């Protein structure tokens, strides 16, 4: 009886920990099938890193989680609610699901401080003084408190991306999505952005990261997902994927990108 109770408790805990439940996800652009019947579960506390060749559907997958792309078929359930149903509150969803893009998407006519506080004031209706105080804390968190009064044109690519992360964090999302956050950066700026993301992972923030940075995936991910041709071909711990890949396509991809398999 005790064993049965313990199993039920474990099952309920696992069920409560589910953040995203994705079933039969498909996305077509015209006649091109970009995502093909994807099933996936993302749990609270996951640091899920999605890897794979260019054109494999990685970015489309992560954009569907924030409904920046509308699925052609399938369902996405977030925190128990089907976000693919008509009438779902999209703005509320995007407060819960933070997104960091390849190209930063900062407002060039606003200062760094204004870029971070605008959503706090406009969406969360926080008083300007309180919004500014929160923004200062966030800027310290990404190591850029001294840039509060600067404008995006005065920043390096790495600094812009760290500001974009601070802006996404301002909404206190339940999960952070990163769509190749370092792909637009010069090589010497990649490390500073990955370090900020690593720090967030260590704080327990749930995240899904699409990246070509294999070293980051190895060190930071709790789970690595390999995609190719619009499908998830393999997933597991970093050790599973990088040391003992099962699928031939995974082995071929890793041999080309890290030259050690």
């Amino acid at each position: 009886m005790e064993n049965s109770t313990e199993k039920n408790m474990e099952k309920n805990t696992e069920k409560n920990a589910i953040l995203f439940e994705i079933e039969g996800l498909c996305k077509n652009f015209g006649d091109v099938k970009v995502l093909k019947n994807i099933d996936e579960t993302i749990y609270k506390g996951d640091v899920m890193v999605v890897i794979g060749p260019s054109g494999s559907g990685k970015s489309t997958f992560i954009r569907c989680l924030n409904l920046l792309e509308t699925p052609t078929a399938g369902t996405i359930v977030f925190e128990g609610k089907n976000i693919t149903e008509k009438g779902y509150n999209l703005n509320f969803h995007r407060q819960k699901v933070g997104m960091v893009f390849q190209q930063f998407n900062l407002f060039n006519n606003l200062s760094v401080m204004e870029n971070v506080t605008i959503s706090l004031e406009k969406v969360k209706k926080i008083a300007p003084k309180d919004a500014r105080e929160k923004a200062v804390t966030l800027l310290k968190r990404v190591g850029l408190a001294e840039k509060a009064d600067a404008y995006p044109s005065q920043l390096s690519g790495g600094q812009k991306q760290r500001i974009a992360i601070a802006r996404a964090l301002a909404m206190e999302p339940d999960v952070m999505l990163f769509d190749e956050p370092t792909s637009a950066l010069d090589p010497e700026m990649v490390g500073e952005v990955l370090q900020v993301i690593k720090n967030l992972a260590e704080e327990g923030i749930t995240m899904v990261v699409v990246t070509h940075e294999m070293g980051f995936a190895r060190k930071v991910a709790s789970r690595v997902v390999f995609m190719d041709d619009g499908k998830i071909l393999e997933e597991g711990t970093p050790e599973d994927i990088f040391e003992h890949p099962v699928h031939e396509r995974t082995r071929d991809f890793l041999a080309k990108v890290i030259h050690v398999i």
Side-chain angles (χ1 to χ4, degrees):
M1 187 70 181
E2 286 183 7
N3 289 340
S4 176
T5 302
E6 286 173 4
K7 286 180 180 178
N8 286 336
M9 287 176 67
E10 289 174 4
K11 188 175 180 181
N12 289 336
T13 299
E14 182 178 320
K15 183 179 179 182
N16 292 337
I18 292 174
L19 202 66
F20 278 104
E21 200 156 15
I22 301 144
E23 293 184 358
L25 178 62
C26 298
K27 177 61 182 178
N28 303 341
F29 291 101
D31 295 330
V32 180
K33 296 180 179 180
V34 178
L35 297 179
K36 303 173 183 177
N37 202 38
I38 287 178
D39 296 327
E40 185 59 80
T41 303
I42 301 169
Y43 297 89
K44 290 179 182 177
D46 262 354
V47 179
M48 191 171 97
V49 177
V50 185
I51 64 172
S54 296
S56 59
K58 305 183 303 295
S59 289
T60 300
F61 170 66
I62 203 172
R63 287 172 66 87
C64 283
L65 298 183
N66 206 21
L67 294 180
L68 290 169
E69 299 292 352
T70 303
T72 303
T75 59
I76 302 173
V77 175
F78 175 71
E79 295 184 338
K81 297 179 180 178
N82 185 353
I83 69 173
T84 48
E85 284 184 345
K86 288 185 178 179
Y88 182 76
N89 189 331
L90 191 57
N91 290 330
F92 178 74
H93 181 66
R94 289 179 181 163
Q95 291 180 46
K96 294 274 193 175
V97 182
M99 186 89 180
V100 177
F101 301 88
Q102 297 177 36
Q103 298 293 339
F104 326 127
N105 289 18
L106 297 177
F107 298 107
N108 290 322
N109 61 322
L110 300 181
S111 69
V112 164
M113 176 60 69
E114 290 167 334
N115 264 282
V116 178
T117 58
I118 187 169
S119 61
L120 292 171
E121 294 180 26
K122 302 293 186 185
V123 179
K124 289 209 161 189
K125 307 299 181 184
I126 293 176
K129 180 176 180 291
D130 294 335
R132 188 174 179 87
E133 287 178 2
K134 183 167 185 176
V136 168
T137 300
L138 290 166
L139 291 174
K140 287 179 180 177
R141 200 168 167 188
V142 299
L144 288 172
E146 77 282 0
K147 296 294 185 181
D149 297 323
Y151 283 80
S153 62
Q154 299 170 303
L155 304 177
S156 69
Q159 290 171 334
K160 288 178 185 177
Q161 194 60 292
R162 284 189 280 158
I163 297 303
I165 293 171
R167 182 181 61 183
L169 287 171
M171 299 305 290
E172 298 179 350
D174 291 346
V175 58
M176 290 278 287
L177 308 178
F178 295 87
D179 184 12
E180 297 192 25
T182 60
S183 65
L185 302 180
D186 292 333
E188 65 269 22
M189 297 176 186
V190 169
E192 65 189 59
V193 172
L194 292 181
Q195 184 60 51
V196 169
I197 300 173
K198 181 175 182 286
N199 292 345
L200 296 178
E202 289 171 351
E203 292 172 17
I205 292 178
T206 307
M207 58 180 72
V208 182
V209 185
V210 171
T211 186
H212 291 291
E213 299 293 335
M214 297 300 115
F216 172 83
R218 271 183 124 142
K219 292 178 183 177
V220 179
S222 60
R223 186 154 50 114
V224 178
V225 171
F226 175 71
M227 288 186 67
D228 189 34
D229 192 31
K231 304 171 187 173
I232 292 176
L233 296 188
E234 187 170 355
E235 66 177 287
T237 66
E239 183 179 2
D240 291 336
I241 299 302
F242 290 104
E243 304 298 335
H244 312 290
V246 174
H247 201 285
E248 182 180 350
R249 184 67 186 95
T250 312
R251 293 197 297 269
D252 180 59
F253 172 77
L254 292 175
K256 291 175 180 176
V257 298
I258 60 178
H259 313 294
V260 295
I261 300 296

